[in-house]
Amino acid sequence: MYLKVSTQNINPQYSTEREKMRKDSRLSRMLHILIHMAQMEQAATSEFIATMLNTNPVVVRRTMACLREKGYVTSVKGHGGGWRLNVALEDITLLDIHNALGESSVFTIGLTDEHTECIIEKAVNREIGDALAASEALLLRRFGEVTLAQLALI
Amino acid sequence: MYLKVSTQNINPQYSTEREKMRKDSRLSRMLHILIHMAQMEQAATSEFIATMLNTNPVVVRRTMACLREKGYVTSVKGHGGGWRLNVALEDITLLDIHNALGESSVFTIGLTDEHTECIIEKAVNREIGDALAASEALLLRRFGEVTLAQLALI
DNA sequence: AACTTATGAAACATTTTATGTTACATAAAA
DNA sequence: TTTTATGTAACATAAAATGTTTCATAAGTT
């Protein structure tokens, strides 16, 4: 329960040039930090990672937990604890991390489902849906072809 | 200024299975209604369109205004007024409507720009960015190959 | 001319998502 | 036992997409 007071609300609702929507930057952030972790001796604390990513430790734990579930990193509590890479960079692709983060869809474009009986709506949704599927397949295929080791070489 | 009281806030923050985010359904909606409009005698009022799309007239005007700017539809005020298709369905592609709606990006995935000097971040962003660009290019190429007339034939 | 039917547009509200923040429990090393 | 970590729940914030209210304006109708 909170009170919102005095909003600016400069809303470009009628503008053709929309402002960019907020993006999910977890993939970019995690790839970045994983490569750095591969070059580190000690475990990286959430605090340390948070500083690197300009965020805070809880956000780091939340996101890294997704990677731990898949075995890409391990976490250790207490003194000298933190996060460690558990797999060689050669053995992780962008797709692996993308999948670990569990994003449901990569698109901002959605379909409608108001009239499941309308053949026009069906045709529209099938066409858009097929195009999105093909586009996503290409993206994921490419993600699957690149390992973190390749990125680390620059 | 408003008061938010007693939120449910079932937040799947730690869950791997994220809920689907809100999607921009304007493309789907506009294609749907444009094809219907091609089969109509009279002008379609915002009220009429809103009922078809399960939304309200102001949202319709807001979105249709984007299409009017590009000349795909015209609007007429007063009695018997409303919206009319201004171009044959054969001459409009999905890409035309997509562009008219002015979506800045089709992806929920974003890059980071915290350390523009870090070569690792640069490499990560270039790889993700290139992959997104290729994926989007495929999507738009496909959108450009399909006319509304083709969809209308089912 | 008065009335009715439309769009045009500003202002505000609501909902959802991504992210940020606070607080406390727990585990492990010093 | 103190310090340093993670684990997690709960709450807060900001921005985007959409919805809603309200009034101005234009154009037919009576």
mmCIF file of all heavy atoms in Angstrom, chain A residues 26-68:
data_model
loop_
_atom_site.group_PDB
_atom_site.id
_atom_site.type_symbol
_atom_site.label_atom_id
_atom_site.label_comp_id
_atom_site.label_asym_id
_atom_site.label_seq_id
_atom_site.Cartn_x
_atom_site.Cartn_y
_atom_site.Cartn_z
ATOM 1 N N ARG A 26 18.724 -8.631 -18.192
ATOM 2 C CA ARG A 26 19.387 -9.675 -17.410
ATOM 3 C C ARG A 26 20.374 -10.501 -18.225
ATOM 4 O O ARG A 26 21.448 -10.868 -17.733
ATOM 5 C CB ARG A 26 18.346 -10.594 -16.754
ATOM 6 C CG ARG A 26 17.492 -9.878 -15.703
ATOM 7 C CD ARG A 26 16.461 -10.820 -15.123
ATOM 8 N NE ARG A 26 15.634 -11.397 -16.186
ATOM 9 C CZ ARG A 26 14.952 -12.531 -16.076
ATOM 10 N NH1 ARG A 26 14.989 -13.216 -14.949
ATOM 11 N NH2 ARG A 26 14.225 -12.970 -17.075
ATOM 12 N N LEU A 27 20.021 -10.794 -19.461
ATOM 13 C CA LEU A 27 20.927 -11.599 -20.288
ATOM 14 C C LEU A 27 22.255 -10.880 -20.472
ATOM 15 O O LEU A 27 23.326 -11.443 -20.219
ATOM 16 C CB LEU A 27 20.286 -11.899 -21.647
ATOM 17 C CG LEU A 27 21.160 -12.699 -22.620
ATOM 18 C CD1 LEU A 27 21.504 -14.070 -22.048
ATOM 19 C CD2 LEU A 27 20.478 -12.836 -23.976
ATOM 20 N N SER A 28 22.181 -9.643 -20.887
ATOM 21 C CA SER A 28 23.382 -8.844 -21.086
ATOM 22 C C SER A 28 24.204 -8.762 -19.806
ATOM 23 O O SER A 28 25.420 -8.981 -19.806
ATOM 24 C CB SER A 28 22.970 -7.444 -21.555
ATOM 25 O OG SER A 28 24.076 -6.593 -21.667
ATOM 26 N N ARG A 29 23.531 -8.489 -18.704
ATOM 27 C CA ARG A 29 24.221 -8.371 -17.432
ATOM 28 C C ARG A 29 24.880 -9.673 -17.011
ATOM 29 O O ARG A 29 26.023 -9.680 -16.535
ATOM 30 C CB ARG A 29 23.223 -7.957 -16.344
ATOM 31 C CG ARG A 29 22.877 -6.482 -16.367
ATOM 32 C CD ARG A 29 21.813 -6.190 -15.323
ATOM 33 N NE ARG A 29 21.855 -4.796 -14.884
ATOM 34 C CZ ARG A 29 21.045 -4.287 -13.957
ATOM 35 N NH1 ARG A 29 20.150 -5.051 -13.366
ATOM 36 N NH2 ARG A 29 21.133 -3.021 -13.616
ATOM 37 N N MET A 30 24.168 -10.766 -17.134
ATOM 38 C CA MET A 30 24.707 -12.053 -16.672
ATOM 39 C C MET A 30 25.882 -12.501 -17.534
ATOM 40 O O MET A 30 26.879 -13.011 -17.009
ATOM 41 C CB MET A 30 23.595 -13.119 -16.682
ATOM 42 C CG MET A 30 22.570 -12.946 -15.570
ATOM 43 S SD MET A 30 23.312 -13.046 -13.898
ATOM 44 C CE MET A 30 23.330 -11.315 -13.416
ATOM 45 N N LEU A 31 25.790 -12.327 -18.831
ATOM 46 C CA LEU A 31 26.914 -12.705 -19.693
ATOM 47 C C LEU A 31 28.146 -11.913 -19.301
ATOM 48 O O LEU A 31 29.244 -12.459 -19.155
ATOM 49 C CB LEU A 31 26.554 -12.440 -21.158
ATOM 50 C CG LEU A 31 25.403 -13.262 -21.742
ATOM 51 C CD1 LEU A 31 25.125 -12.832 -23.171
ATOM 52 C CD2 LEU A 31 25.707 -14.749 -21.676
ATOM 53 N N HIS A 32 27.930 -10.631 -19.122
ATOM 54 C CA HIS A 32 29.016 -9.743 -18.755
ATOM 55 C C HIS A 32 29.719 -10.219 -17.483
ATOM 56 O O HIS A 32 30.939 -10.400 -17.446
ATOM 57 C CB HIS A 32 28.443 -8.327 -18.582
ATOM 58 C CG HIS A 32 29.451 -7.288 -18.232
ATOM 59 N ND1 HIS A 32 29.098 -6.026 -17.832
ATOM 60 C CD2 HIS A 32 30.804 -7.321 -18.215
ATOM 61 C CE1 HIS A 32 30.200 -5.329 -17.583
ATOM 62 N NE2 HIS A 32 31.236 -6.075 -17.810
ATOM 63 N N ILE A 33 28.932 -10.483 -16.458
ATOM 64 C CA ILE A 33 29.528 -10.832 -15.174
ATOM 65 C C ILE A 33 30.115 -12.241 -15.177
ATOM 66 O O ILE A 33 31.138 -12.499 -14.538
ATOM 67 C CB ILE A 33 28.493 -10.660 -14.027
ATOM 68 C CG1 ILE A 33 29.218 -10.555 -12.695
ATOM 69 C CG2 ILE A 33 27.499 -11.795 -14.011
ATOM 70 C CD1 ILE A 33 30.073 -9.324 -12.555
ATOM 71 N N LEU A 34 29.506 -13.146 -15.917
ATOM 72 C CA LEU A 34 30.023 -14.520 -15.956
ATOM 73 C C LEU A 34 31.419 -14.551 -16.548
ATOM 74 O O LEU A 34 32.298 -15.272 -16.078
ATOM 75 C CB LEU A 34 29.074 -15.417 -16.764
ATOM 76 C CG LEU A 34 27.762 -15.793 -16.082
ATOM 77 C CD1 LEU A 34 26.860 -16.564 -17.039
ATOM 78 C CD2 LEU A 34 28.002 -16.607 -14.814
ATOM 79 N N ILE A 35 31.626 -13.766 -17.581
ATOM 80 C CA ILE A 35 32.956 -13.732 -18.198
ATOM 81 C C ILE A 35 33.974 -13.133 -17.237
ATOM 82 O O ILE A 35 35.088 -13.627 -17.108
ATOM 83 C CB ILE A 35 32.900 -12.948 -19.526
ATOM 84 C CG1 ILE A 35 32.030 -13.705 -20.529
ATOM 85 C CG2 ILE A 35 34.306 -12.749 -20.085
ATOM 86 C CD1 ILE A 35 31.748 -12.952 -21.814
ATOM 87 N N HIS A 36 33.573 -12.110 -16.532
ATOM 88 C CA HIS A 36 34.483 -11.554 -15.523
ATOM 89 C C HIS A 36 34.782 -12.582 -14.440
ATOM 90 O O HIS A 36 35.923 -12.712 -13.982
ATOM 91 C CB HIS A 36 33.876 -10.303 -14.880
ATOM 92 C CG HIS A 36 34.093 -9.043 -15.655
ATOM 93 N ND1 HIS A 36 35.342 -8.518 -15.882
ATOM 94 C CD2 HIS A 36 33.219 -8.217 -16.281
ATOM 95 C CE1 HIS A 36 35.231 -7.408 -16.603
ATOM 96 N NE2 HIS A 36 33.954 -7.204 -16.859
ATOM 97 N N MET A 37 33.779 -13.325 -14.036
ATOM 98 C CA MET A 37 33.961 -14.317 -12.972
ATOM 99 C C MET A 37 34.947 -15.400 -13.385
ATOM 100 O O MET A 37 35.675 -15.948 -12.546
ATOM 101 C CB MET A 37 32.615 -14.944 -12.591
ATOM 102 C CG MET A 37 31.747 -14.040 -11.738
ATOM 103 S SD MET A 37 30.045 -14.648 -11.594
ATOM 104 C CE MET A 37 30.299 -16.179 -10.690
ATOM 105 N N ALA A 38 34.959 -15.707 -14.670
ATOM 106 C CA ALA A 38 35.881 -16.741 -15.164
ATOM 107 C C ALA A 38 37.327 -16.311 -14.982
ATOM 108 O O ALA A 38 38.233 -17.141 -14.914
ATOM 109 C CB ALA A 38 35.593 -17.040 -16.632
ATOM 110 N N GLN A 39 37.546 -15.016 -14.905
ATOM 111 C CA GLN A 39 38.906 -14.494 -14.774
ATOM 112 C C GLN A 39 39.275 -14.178 -13.327
ATOM 113 O O GLN A 39 40.338 -13.636 -13.055
ATOM 114 C CB GLN A 39 39.041 -13.231 -15.643
ATOM 115 C CG GLN A 39 38.722 -13.493 -17.114
ATOM 116 C CD GLN A 39 38.586 -12.227 -17.931
ATOM 117 O OE1 GLN A 39 38.513 -11.128 -17.386
ATOM 118 N NE2 GLN A 39 38.555 -12.374 -19.256
ATOM 119 N N MET A 40 38.378 -14.510 -12.405
ATOM 120 C CA MET A 40 38.625 -14.175 -11.004
ATOM 121 C C MET A 40 39.115 -15.369 -10.210
ATOM 122 O O MET A 40 38.721 -16.501 -10.461
ATOM 123 C CB MET A 40 37.332 -13.640 -10.355
ATOM 124 C CG MET A 40 36.931 -12.260 -10.820
ATOM 125 S SD MET A 40 35.348 -11.780 -10.079
ATOM 126 C CE MET A 40 35.751 -11.810 -8.326
ATOM 127 N N GLU A 41 39.954 -15.087 -9.227
ATOM 128 C CA GLU A 41 40.444 -16.118 -8.324
ATOM 129 C C GLU A 41 39.381 -16.467 -7.289
ATOM 130 O O GLU A 41 38.978 -17.602 -7.149
ATOM 131 C CB GLU A 41 41.706 -15.623 -7.596
ATOM 132 C CG GLU A 41 42.878 -15.334 -8.495
ATOM 133 C CD GLU A 41 43.488 -16.611 -9.072
ATOM 134 O OE1 GLU A 41 43.653 -17.571 -8.301
ATOM 135 O OE2 GLU A 41 43.795 -16.630 -10.282
ATOM 136 N N GLN A 42 38.967 -15.430 -6.566
ATOM 137 C CA GLN A 42 38.018 -15.651 -5.472
ATOM 138 C C GLN A 42 36.579 -15.718 -5.983
ATOM 139 O O GLN A 42 36.285 -15.423 -7.127
ATOM 140 C CB GLN A 42 38.087 -14.510 -4.442
ATOM 141 C CG GLN A 42 39.427 -13.840 -4.265
ATOM 142 C CD GLN A 42 39.594 -12.634 -5.169
ATOM 143 O OE1 GLN A 42 39.370 -12.694 -6.388
ATOM 144 N NE2 GLN A 42 40.006 -11.531 -4.569
ATOM 145 N N ALA A 43 35.714 -16.085 -5.042
ATOM 146 C CA ALA A 43 34.284 -16.035 -5.327
ATOM 147 C C ALA A 43 33.852 -14.573 -5.419
ATOM 148 O O ALA A 43 34.419 -13.714 -4.742
ATOM 149 C CB ALA A 43 33.513 -16.750 -4.228
ATOM 150 N N ALA A 44 32.892 -14.297 -6.257
ATOM 151 C CA ALA A 44 32.374 -12.935 -6.387
ATOM 152 C C ALA A 44 31.152 -12.777 -5.497
ATOM 153 O O ALA A 44 30.173 -13.518 -5.634
ATOM 154 C CB ALA A 44 32.006 -12.653 -7.844
ATOM 155 N N THR A 45 31.210 -11.846 -4.577
ATOM 156 C CA THR A 45 30.053 -11.637 -3.705
ATOM 157 C C THR A 45 28.955 -10.900 -4.471
ATOM 158 O O THR A 45 29.219 -10.219 -5.469
ATOM 159 C CB THR A 45 30.426 -10.797 -2.474
ATOM 160 O OG1 THR A 45 30.785 -9.481 -2.916
ATOM 161 C CG2 THR A 45 31.576 -11.413 -1.708
ATOM 162 N N SER A 46 27.745 -11.058 -3.990
ATOM 163 C CA SER A 46 26.615 -10.361 -4.603
ATOM 164 C C SER A 46 26.852 -8.856 -4.547
ATOM 165 O O SER A 46 26.476 -8.116 -5.459
ATOM 166 C CB SER A 46 25.317 -10.706 -3.869
ATOM 167 O OG SER A 46 25.086 -12.099 -3.891
ATOM 168 N N GLU A 47 27.468 -8.439 -3.464
ATOM 169 C CA GLU A 47 27.788 -7.024 -3.282
ATOM 170 C C GLU A 47 28.732 -6.540 -4.394
ATOM 171 O O GLU A 47 28.500 -5.511 -5.027
ATOM 172 C CB GLU A 47 28.463 -6.828 -1.922
ATOM 173 C CG GLU A 47 28.760 -5.384 -1.557
ATOM 174 C CD GLU A 47 27.497 -4.589 -1.300
ATOM 175 O OE1 GLU A 47 26.610 -5.096 -0.583
ATOM 176 O OE2 GLU A 47 27.379 -3.460 -1.831
ATOM 177 N N PHE A 48 29.769 -7.325 -4.631
ATOM 178 C CA PHE A 48 30.753 -6.993 -5.666
ATOM 179 C C PHE A 48 30.107 -6.947 -7.042
ATOM 180 O O PHE A 48 30.293 -5.991 -7.811
ATOM 181 C CB PHE A 48 31.871 -8.041 -5.640
ATOM 182 C CG PHE A 48 32.865 -7.912 -6.754
ATOM 183 C CD1 PHE A 48 33.921 -7.009 -6.665
ATOM 184 C CD2 PHE A 48 32.747 -8.695 -7.904
ATOM 185 C CE1 PHE A 48 34.834 -6.889 -7.704
ATOM 186 C CE2 PHE A 48 33.664 -8.569 -8.943
ATOM 187 C CZ PHE A 48 34.699 -7.664 -8.840
ATOM 188 N N ILE A 49 29.320 -7.969 -7.335
ATOM 189 C CA ILE A 49 28.662 -8.040 -8.637
ATOM 190 C C ILE A 49 27.693 -6.878 -8.811
ATOM 191 O O ILE A 49 27.616 -6.254 -9.869
ATOM 192 C CB ILE A 49 27.919 -9.390 -8.790
ATOM 193 C CG1 ILE A 49 28.931 -10.528 -8.785
ATOM 194 C CG2 ILE A 49 27.083 -9.401 -10.067
ATOM 195 C CD1 ILE A 49 28.299 -11.921 -8.738
ATOM 196 N N ALA A 50 26.961 -6.594 -7.726
ATOM 197 C CA ALA A 50 25.993 -5.502 -7.780
ATOM 198 C C ALA A 50 26.678 -4.182 -8.121
ATOM 199 O O ALA A 50 26.169 -3.391 -8.914
ATOM 200 C CB ALA A 50 25.266 -5.378 -6.444
ATOM 201 N N THR A 51 27.820 -3.959 -7.535
ATOM 202 C CA THR A 51 28.569 -2.734 -7.817
ATOM 203 C C THR A 51 28.967 -2.684 -9.289
ATOM 204 O O THR A 51 28.817 -1.661 -9.955
ATOM 205 C CB THR A 51 29.825 -2.659 -6.926
ATOM 206 O OG1 THR A 51 29.418 -2.684 -5.558
ATOM 207 C CG2 THR A 51 30.598 -1.377 -7.206
ATOM 208 N N MET A 52 29.417 -3.816 -9.804
ATOM 209 C CA MET A 52 29.802 -3.869 -11.212
ATOM 210 C C MET A 52 28.632 -3.575 -12.145
ATOM 211 O O MET A 52 28.797 -2.970 -13.207
ATOM 212 C CB MET A 52 30.363 -5.247 -11.559
ATOM 213 C CG MET A 52 31.768 -5.474 -11.073
ATOM 214 S SD MET A 52 32.545 -6.770 -12.071
ATOM 215 C CE MET A 52 32.389 -6.097 -13.723
ATOM 216 N N LEU A 53 27.453 -4.042 -11.745
ATOM 217 C CA LEU A 53 26.286 -3.917 -12.624
ATOM 218 C C LEU A 53 25.421 -2.703 -12.289
ATOM 219 O O LEU A 53 24.338 -2.540 -12.853
ATOM 220 C CB LEU A 53 25.439 -5.190 -12.554
ATOM 221 C CG LEU A 53 26.121 -6.493 -12.985
ATOM 222 C CD1 LEU A 53 25.151 -7.653 -12.869
ATOM 223 C CD2 LEU A 53 26.643 -6.379 -14.422
ATOM 224 N N ASN A 54 25.904 -1.878 -11.382
ATOM 225 C CA ASN A 54 25.105 -0.725 -10.961
ATOM 226 C C ASN A 54 23.712 -1.118 -10.487
ATOM 227 O O ASN A 54 22.710 -0.505 -10.857
ATOM 228 C CB ASN A 54 24.983 0.300 -12.100
ATOM 229 C CG ASN A 54 26.257 1.076 -12.314
ATOM 230 O OD1 ASN A 54 27.011 1.324 -11.380
ATOM 231 N ND2 ASN A 54 26.509 1.456 -13.557
ATOM 232 N N THR A 55 23.675 -2.149 -9.684
ATOM 233 C CA THR A 55 22.383 -2.540 -9.117
ATOM 234 C C THR A 55 22.629 -2.909 -7.660
ATOM 235 O O THR A 55 23.571 -2.409 -7.067
ATOM 236 C CB THR A 55 21.764 -3.713 -9.893
ATOM 237 O OG1 THR A 55 20.535 -4.082 -9.285
ATOM 238 C CG2 THR A 55 22.694 -4.918 -9.924
ATOM 239 N N ASN A 56 21.791 -3.737 -7.072
ATOM 240 C CA ASN A 56 22.019 -4.092 -5.672
ATOM 241 C C ASN A 56 22.047 -5.598 -5.462
ATOM 242 O O ASN A 56 21.605 -6.364 -6.314
ATOM 243 C CB ASN A 56 21.012 -3.379 -4.762
ATOM 244 C CG ASN A 56 19.653 -4.015 -4.813
ATOM 245 O OD1 ASN A 56 19.496 -5.196 -4.494
ATOM 246 N ND2 ASN A 56 18.661 -3.249 -5.227
ATOM 247 N N PRO A 57 22.565 -6.022 -4.325
ATOM 248 C CA PRO A 57 22.837 -7.441 -4.082
ATOM 249 C C PRO A 57 21.622 -8.354 -4.211
ATOM 250 O O PRO A 57 21.754 -9.492 -4.663
ATOM 251 C CB PRO A 57 23.360 -7.448 -2.642
ATOM 252 C CG PRO A 57 23.895 -6.083 -2.410
ATOM 253 C CD PRO A 57 23.026 -5.174 -3.211
ATOM 254 N N VAL A 58 20.466 -7.871 -3.809
ATOM 255 C CA VAL A 58 19.294 -8.740 -3.855
ATOM 256 C C VAL A 58 18.910 -9.045 -5.291
ATOM 257 O O VAL A 58 18.529 -10.179 -5.628
ATOM 258 C CB VAL A 58 18.108 -8.106 -3.096
ATOM 259 C CG1 VAL A 58 16.891 -8.998 -3.173
ATOM 260 C CG2 VAL A 58 18.497 -7.849 -1.652
ATOM 261 N N VAL A 59 19.016 -8.063 -6.139
ATOM 262 C CA VAL A 59 18.735 -8.280 -7.555
ATOM 263 C C VAL A 59 19.715 -9.304 -8.126
ATOM 264 O O VAL A 59 19.343 -10.190 -8.898
ATOM 265 C CB VAL A 59 18.822 -6.957 -8.339
ATOM 266 C CG1 VAL A 59 18.750 -7.194 -9.830
ATOM 267 C CG2 VAL A 59 17.727 -6.010 -7.879
ATOM 268 N N VAL A 60 20.958 -9.197 -7.704
ATOM 269 C CA VAL A 60 21.979 -10.141 -8.165
ATOM 270 C C VAL A 60 21.641 -11.556 -7.717
ATOM 271 O O VAL A 60 21.649 -12.496 -8.512
ATOM 272 C CB VAL A 60 23.365 -9.733 -7.632
ATOM 273 C CG1 VAL A 60 24.396 -10.826 -7.917
ATOM 274 C CG2 VAL A 60 23.795 -8.412 -8.256
ATOM 275 N N ARG A 61 21.322 -11.733 -6.453
ATOM 276 C CA ARG A 61 20.982 -13.074 -5.949
ATOM 277 C C ARG A 61 19.799 -13.642 -6.695
ATOM 278 O O ARG A 61 19.756 -14.816 -7.047
ATOM 279 C CB ARG A 61 20.660 -13.008 -4.454
ATOM 280 C CG ARG A 61 21.876 -12.721 -3.615
ATOM 281 C CD ARG A 61 21.594 -12.788 -2.115
ATOM 282 N NE ARG A 61 22.709 -12.162 -1.405
ATOM 283 C CZ ARG A 61 22.603 -11.040 -0.695
ATOM 284 N NH1 ARG A 61 21.428 -10.446 -0.573
ATOM 285 N NH2 ARG A 61 23.658 -10.522 -0.120
ATOM 286 N N ARG A 62 18.814 -12.787 -6.907
ATOM 287 C CA ARG A 62 17.591 -13.199 -7.587
ATOM 288 C C ARG A 62 17.915 -13.739 -8.981
ATOM 289 O O ARG A 62 17.397 -14.775 -9.393
ATOM 290 C CB ARG A 62 16.684 -11.970 -7.690
ATOM 291 C CG ARG A 62 15.290 -12.204 -8.160
ATOM 292 C CD ARG A 62 14.577 -10.854 -8.292
ATOM 293 N NE ARG A 62 14.303 -10.238 -6.993
ATOM 294 C CZ ARG A 62 14.015 -8.943 -6.818
ATOM 295 N NH1 ARG A 62 14.001 -8.130 -7.863
ATOM 296 N NH2 ARG A 62 13.773 -8.476 -5.624
ATOM 297 N N THR A 63 18.780 -13.049 -9.678
ATOM 298 C CA THR A 63 19.081 -13.443 -11.057
ATOM 299 C C THR A 63 20.058 -14.607 -11.109
ATOM 300 O O THR A 63 19.879 -15.556 -11.880
ATOM 301 C CB THR A 63 19.658 -12.239 -11.820
ATOM 302 O OG1 THR A 63 18.858 -11.089 -11.570
ATOM 303 C CG2 THR A 63 19.670 -12.509 -13.314
ATOM 304 N N MET A 64 21.082 -14.543 -10.258
ATOM 305 C CA MET A 64 22.077 -15.617 -10.233
ATOM 306 C C MET A 64 21.435 -16.943 -9.805
ATOM 307 O O MET A 64 21.872 -18.018 -10.226
ATOM 308 C CB MET A 64 23.209 -15.260 -9.266
ATOM 309 C CG MET A 64 24.061 -14.087 -9.709
ATOM 310 S SD MET A 64 25.074 -14.424 -11.176
ATOM 311 C CE MET A 64 26.412 -15.386 -10.460
ATOM 312 N N ALA A 65 20.400 -16.853 -8.981
ATOM 313 C CA ALA A 65 19.717 -18.069 -8.538
ATOM 314 C C ALA A 65 19.187 -18.861 -9.729
ATOM 315 O O ALA A 65 19.176 -20.097 -9.717
ATOM 316 C CB ALA A 65 18.577 -17.717 -7.585
ATOM 317 N N CYS A 66 18.761 -18.155 -10.771
ATOM 318 C CA CYS A 66 18.291 -18.831 -11.986
ATOM 319 C C CYS A 66 19.415 -19.646 -12.623
ATOM 320 O O CYS A 66 19.190 -20.747 -13.133
ATOM 321 C CB CYS A 66 17.769 -17.816 -13.000
ATOM 322 S SG CYS A 66 16.324 -16.877 -12.467
ATOM 323 N N LEU A 67 20.617 -19.094 -12.599
ATOM 324 C CA LEU A 67 21.755 -19.781 -13.210
ATOM 325 C C LEU A 67 22.216 -20.950 -12.340
ATOM 326 O O LEU A 67 22.675 -21.973 -12.836
ATOM 327 C CB LEU A 67 22.910 -18.800 -13.428
ATOM 328 C CG LEU A 67 22.583 -17.511 -14.194
ATOM 329 C CD1 LEU A 67 23.859 -16.756 -14.508
ATOM 330 C CD2 LEU A 67 21.808 -17.811 -15.466
ATOM 331 N N ARG A 68 22.083 -20.783 -11.037
ATOM 332 C CA ARG A 68 22.479 -21.853 -10.126
ATOM 333 C C ARG A 68 21.582 -23.073 -10.315
ATOM 334 O O ARG A 68 22.040 -24.217 -10.270
ATOM 335 C CB ARG A 68 22.396 -21.364 -8.684
ATOM 336 C CG ARG A 68 22.891 -22.387 -7.654
ATOM 337 C CD ARG A 68 22.650 -21.909 -6.250
ATOM 338 N NE ARG A 68 21.275 -21.424 -6.129
ATOM 339 C CZ ARG A 68 20.890 -20.455 -5.309
ATOM 340 N NH1 ARG A 68 21.769 -19.878 -4.536
ATOM 341 N NH2 ARG A 68 19.630 -20.078 -5.260
#
